[in-house]
Amino acid sequence: YRPIRGWIGAPSVGVGQSKGFDLLLDATADGTAHHPSSPPPTMKTPVSTTILMALLLCAVLMPTGVTAKKRSHGASKGKQTADQEMRLKKLDCERNMCSHLAGESRINCQYKCISEPCYTEIYGHDELEEGEVDTERGRLFGFCYRRFFRQEMEERKERVRREAAEQRARLTGGMRS
């Protein structure tokens, strides 16, 4: 090994003086130099490095087959939850049926528009008054809507099952004739 003087930036101390560092380099047969701690260019890569590189390559290529399942928060992709449906209905009611109203009469109109049965159950005996904020009844309205939404979804599923069974019966009955 022979010491080589290297520069860090331009000499700024004065003429004949420099800020530098000593670097030990190993000269190879072809005249190129490398640091002693790194393997010489002619040395073969160790087996452990080859295995590590193969594992790294597998890890990079593997994620296409193994991915983490995304949380659906109770709803499957493509299906609307009760809360999503309620927000959409509220927007529709705000823009269409209740747009001409203001204040609490507008909020009462929206609740009626979203779900008449839930409005009757929660607010029917005592409507919201001007300036009144009733978070408890608002929460109860949301619970009521979710309950009706689930019932409606179950009825819809049952109707689809019934129609599919009728269609299968027609198809199998038509084949026998």
Side-chain angles (χ1 to χ4, degrees):
Y1 297 111
R2 56 189 169 104
I4 303 288
R5 188 93 173 143
W7 292 93
I8 300 178
S12 59
V13 177
V15 179
Q17 297 176 348
S18 66
K19 289 186 178 180
F21 61 94
D22 288 332
L23 178 65
L24 293 176
L25 296 177
D26 185 18
T28 59
D30 64 354
T32 59
H34 69 277
H35 194 272
S37 65
S38 65
T42 58
M43 244 174 104
K44 291 187 177 180
T45 309
V47 173
S48 62
T49 306
T50 305
I51 292 172
L52 182 65
M53 294 300 284
L55 289 174
L56 183 63
L57 182 63
C58 288
V60 169
L61 297 176
M62 192 63 125
T64 56
V66 179
T67 56
K69 182 179 178 183
K70 292 184 179 180
R71 293 184 184 183
S72 62
H73 300 289
S76 300
K77 189 175 182 176
K79 292 185 180 179
Q80 287 193 336
T81 64
D83 292 336
Q84 291 170 332
E85 182 72 21
M86 192 162 99
R87 278 193 294 272
L88 289 173
K89 278 189 173 186
K90 183 179 179 190
L91 282 172
D92 186 49
C93 294
E94 284 175 356
R95 292 178 182 158
N96 299 318
M97 293 189 61
C98 307
S99 62
H100 63 284
L101 300 171
E104 300 311 314
S105 56
R106 183 178 189 154
I107 293 172
N108 284 324
C109 175
Q110 289 171 2
Y111 282 137
K112 283 180 189 174
C113 177
I114 291 169
S115 174
E116 184 77 38
C118 289
Y119 178 81
T120 304
E121 181 181 322
I122 306 298
Y123 294 100
H125 64 282
D126 184 23
E127 286 190 351
L128 283 174
E129 296 173 6
E130 199 62 40
E132 180 183 6
V133 177
D134 192 342
T135 54
E136 178 62 22
R137 288 198 294 173
R139 203 170 58 79
L140 290 173
F141 183 85
F143 289 146
C144 177
Y145 183 81
R146 285 184 209 96
R147 186 178 68 235
F148 273 93
F149 183 82
R150 279 193 301 272
Q151 287 173 351
E152 185 179 311
M153 290 297 110
E154 287 303 317
E155 289 170 4
R156 203 178 287 173
K157 284 180 189 177
E158 185 56 38
R159 190 173 51 247
V160 168
R161 284 186 200 120
R162 205 172 32 251
E163 289 171 0
E166 290 171 2
Q167 183 151 0
R168 279 194 304 273
R170 281 193 305 267
L171 289 174
T172 55
M175 293 180 144
R176 292 179 189 168
S177 307

